[in-house]
Amino acid sequence: MKVKFLHIALIICLSSVVYFNSLKAPFQFDDLFTIAQNPSIRSLDLISDSFALLSADFFARPVLYLTLKINYYFGGIDTPGYHLFNVSLHIGISILIYVFVSAIVKQTYTKEYKHLPLFSSLIFAVHPINTEAVTYIISRSILLSTFFGLLMMLFFIKGMEAINKRQEARGKRQEARGKKQETRDKRQDSFLLLTSYFLLLASCLCLILSLGSREDAAIFPILLIIYYYFFLKPQDIAIISKKNIGIFAIVLLVVLAYPLTRYIIKGGMGISENMKDFTPLTYFMTEINVIVYYYIRTILFPFNFNIDPDIRAFSGVDTSTVFTIFFIFFLFFVFRKYRILFFSLLWFFITLTPTSSIIPLLDAAAEHRVYLPMVGGAIFIAGCLSKLRVQSFELRVKSQKLSVTLICLVILFFSIGVIKRNYVWKSAVSIWEDAARKSPFKARVYNALGLAYQREKGDSEKALEHYNMAIAIQPLYADARINKGVTLIKQEKLEYALSEFNMALILKPNSPEIHNNMGIIYSKKGDLNRAVEEFQLALKINPNYEEARKNLQTVLNRQ
């Protein structure tokens, strides 16, 4: 199936329109300390940064931080450049989905899916659930991982096609031919051989770049194997299984070797374990409900998006859990006869396993985690709409125009949802006020909202109000007490601030920030010796803490 450039132009234009109002959104949440306040991204050295891919730093997402360094080099901390990079990646991924689904449709030879590539890529491009991954700048890791992962799959598929063409061409050489024909055959054979090597090497490079962007990219080789299981031509099975089994063995080896290597070098799987609220079992059972009642619900009914959803831990089997498990099995049972739809379901659930399995993460749910699974989700939605159209046509209902109109309305509906959601992302105050309305019993939301009022509006009273709400919900919340103490220092309420920091120090004894702020309080009170002690403690915990170093020097100059 040939790529239609008019379709590509439509994907680019529509994606650009719906994400245009995201370009001026500020840094949010983790963006502040990973980008705006991160000195490590302020020096760009392409040679040393590239060598990070060949060292232990490979497991610290070097590709992501290289792109952030490039952004900073050209635009400092002005956010439009960062957003433009993210939106461009998203558009590129939508185009790759178009090419990938075109390859699937080519393998199935089904006319009913004639427009599936366009519908799938457009639904993915404008679905509101992808807004967080695109507009939240630090979520670029999942964009990069998806982009290079899809490229890896496409290069591999094309490389294997070149190998198969070469094998087929060799089989036809049994017939008699002259010297000129032999020369032509050798040239064709050499060309196909070089092409296959180039494409397979490009595939390996893309896999490395994908893994260097985000750890869960190790799932792509599994997706590739599943793709071949569903869509391999019968005549190609023998060629691949007999002649090129080693290539697939290497692909499978990557899946097993990468997490093991990371565990040995880094002492962990590269994700934030949260064993306080979850055990592996309770996290797994919680995620089963999250997948259906949050992820699938917001995909099918794109409302009530939330930057910080309040998910309660699994506490026991109930009717909702039983329904959830039944629903998942029901989906696979109903669509088992439809190759493309079944494949899209497998893609969706398999790509959720790195974040929704047995390893507890800090947050039970996050919308940006659905970005890669949404590739399967978009194919599934578009495929179901395509099936609806054909069935209606067979019932002699004039539905061709109706179905196209329905799909256009769905895409328009999704597009409006993206624009509205990006409007919420316009400021830290607006995004966290939105979260507070939807997660009214989550302490972290009020802490973030207090920070937003302090930083964006300079409203100390509003900030204190929300810090107090966070502490009321979670009295042992150290970060809220630290932020409250900082605000009290600005209001010159030093004794109240000191009380908050003393409590926070009990909860977080190895925090250099607490010692630094206590040093500031003692400095303001004129107790310079105590101030020096606190600044020195801060530097002992974190020798690279520049603010504490400057504060210490200032106090020493006063003595």
Side-chain angles (χ1 to χ4, degrees), residues 178-323:
K179 291 185 177 180
K180 290 185 178 180
Q181 182 65 33
E182 275 189 32
T183 304
R184 268 197 300 268
D185 287 344
K186 287 181 179 179
R187 286 177 181 173
Q188 183 187 26
D189 187 79
S190 298
F191 175 76
L192 288 173
L193 181 64
L194 289 173
T195 300
S196 63
Y197 282 162
F198 172 79
L199 290 170
L200 291 176
L201 284 173
S203 178
C204 291
L205 176 61
C206 286
L207 180 58
I208 291 170
L209 292 172
S210 185
L211 289 168
S213 303
R214 190 177 173 91
E215 303 80 25
D216 50 16
I219 204 76
F220 278 104
I222 296 176
L223 295 174
L224 188 62
I225 291 171
I226 293 172
Y227 166 83
Y228 274 105
Y229 177 81
F230 275 89
F231 303 114
L232 191 66
K233 296 177 185 178
Q235 62 268 31
D236 293 338
I237 292 177
I239 294 174
I240 288 182
S241 60
K242 293 179 181 179
K243 301 289 184 181
N244 307 303
I245 192 66
I247 296 175
F248 285 90
I250 292 171
V251 169
L252 191 59
L253 184 63
V254 169
V255 180
L256 300 174
Y258 177 80
L260 179 62
T261 306
R262 182 178 186 103
Y263 185 85
I264 293 171
I265 293 177
K266 289 290 186 180
M269 299 303 292
I271 47 183
S272 303
E273 286 88 355
N274 182 22
M275 305 303 289
K276 180 181 178 182
D277 298 321
F278 297 103
T279 64
L281 177 61
T282 58
Y283 185 78
F284 176 73
M285 296 305 295
T286 301
E287 288 303 299
I288 289 177
N289 285 318
V290 166
I291 289 170
V292 173
Y293 292 109
Y294 192 75
Y295 293 154
I296 293 179
R297 176 186 62 78
T298 49
I299 289 172
L300 298 179
F301 306 99
F303 304 103
N304 292 323
F305 295 103
N306 190 349
I307 191 176
D308 201 1
D310 192 2
I311 305 296
R312 301 300 175 184
F314 172 80
S315 57
V317 176
D318 55 16
T319 53
S320 65
T321 306
V322 173
F323 172 78

Side-chain angles (χ1 to χ4, degrees), residues 87 314 454:
V87 173
F314 172 80
Q454 184 67 58

Side-chain angles (χ1 to χ4, degrees), residues 292 296 300 322-332 349:
V292 173
I296 293 179
L300 298 179
V322 173
F323 172 78
T324 299
I325 296 172
F326 172 78
F327 176 76
I328 293 172
F329 278 103
F330 176 77
L331 277 177
F332 283 104
F349 285 100

Side-chain angles (χ1 to χ4, degrees), residues 195-487:
T195 300
S196 63
Y197 282 162
F198 172 79
L199 290 170
L200 291 176
L201 284 173
S203 178
C204 291
L205 176 61
C206 286
L207 180 58
I208 291 170
L209 292 172
S210 185
L211 289 168
S213 303
R214 190 177 173 91
E215 303 80 25
D216 50 16
I219 204 76
F220 278 104
I222 296 176
L223 295 174
L224 188 62
I225 291 171
I226 293 172
Y227 166 83
Y228 274 105
Y229 177 81
F230 275 89
F231 303 114
L232 191 66
K233 296 177 185 178
Q235 62 268 31
D236 293 338
I237 292 177
I239 294 174
I240 288 182
S241 60
K242 293 179 181 179
K243 301 289 184 181
N244 307 303
I245 192 66
I247 296 175
F248 285 90
I250 292 171
V251 169
L252 191 59
L253 184 63
V254 169
V255 180
L256 300 174
Y258 177 80
L260 179 62
T261 306
R262 182 178 186 103
Y263 185 85
I264 293 171
I265 293 177
K266 289 290 186 180
M269 299 303 292
I271 47 183
S272 303
E273 286 88 355
N274 182 22
M275 305 303 289
K276 180 181 178 182
D277 298 321
F278 297 103
T279 64
L281 177 61
T282 58
Y283 185 78
F284 176 73
M285 296 305 295
T286 301
E287 288 303 299
I288 289 177
N289 285 318
V290 166
I291 289 170
V292 173
Y293 292 109
Y294 192 75
Y295 293 154
I296 293 179
R297 176 186 62 78
T298 49
I299 289 172
L300 298 179
F301 306 99
F303 304 103
N304 292 323
F305 295 103
N306 190 349
I307 191 176
D308 201 1
D310 192 2
I311 305 296
R312 301 300 175 184
F314 172 80
S315 57
V317 176
D318 55 16
T319 53
S320 65
T321 306
V322 173
F323 172 78
T324 299
I325 296 172
F326 172 78
F327 176 76
I328 293 172
F329 278 103
F330 176 77
L331 277 177
F332 283 104
F333 178 78
V334 169
F335 295 102
R336 71 191 187 283
K337 295 181 180 179
Y338 305 102
R339 271 196 297 169
I340 292 179
L341 297 181
F342 195 80
F343 170 76
S344 66
L345 282 175
L346 275 178
W347 179 294
F348 180 82
F349 285 100
I350 286 173
T351 52
L352 278 173
T353 54
T355 57
S356 299
S357 53
I358 61 171
I359 303 176
L361 305 186
L362 182 61
D363 299 304
E367 289 160 16
H368 64 267
R369 295 177 189 165
V370 192
Y371 190 80
L372 177 57
M374 190 57 204
V375 175
I379 297 171
F380 182 79
I381 294 170
C384 286
L385 291 173
S386 298
K387 297 290 289 185
L388 175 66
R389 193 185 93 178
V390 171
Q391 289 172 1
S392 299
F393 180 79
E394 290 171 351
L395 291 172
R396 298 177 180 272
V397 178
K398 295 180 180 180
S399 66
Q400 186 167 0
K401 291 183 178 179
L402 179 63
S403 63
V404 172
T405 302
L406 175 63
I407 293 170
C408 289
L409 287 174
V410 168
I411 291 171
L412 177 63
F413 175 69
F414 287 164
S415 300
I416 294 171
V418 172
I419 294 170
K420 289 180 67 176
R421 187 61 183 161
N422 277 326
Y423 184 75
V424 177
W425 280 85
K426 68 179 180 178
S427 71
V429 170
S430 61
I431 193 69
W432 289 108
E433 281 184 338
D434 175 78
R437 286 191 295 271
K438 296 167 182 174
S439 301
F441 303 109
K442 193 164 187 177
R444 188 171 66 178
V445 169
Y446 291 106
N447 180 54
L449 185 53
L451 275 172
Y453 271 107
Q454 184 67 58
R455 288 170 175 166
E456 283 191 350
K457 297 183 178 295
D459 191 337
S460 297
E461 291 303 324
K462 272 283 190 180
L464 284 173
E465 176 187 335
H466 288 101
Y467 295 144
N468 286 330
M469 292 175 72
I471 293 168
I473 294 171
Q474 189 176 332
L476 302 182
Y477 190 8
D479 289 345
R481 292 189 178 275
I482 292 170
N483 292 329
K484 181 181 176 182
V486 171
T487 303

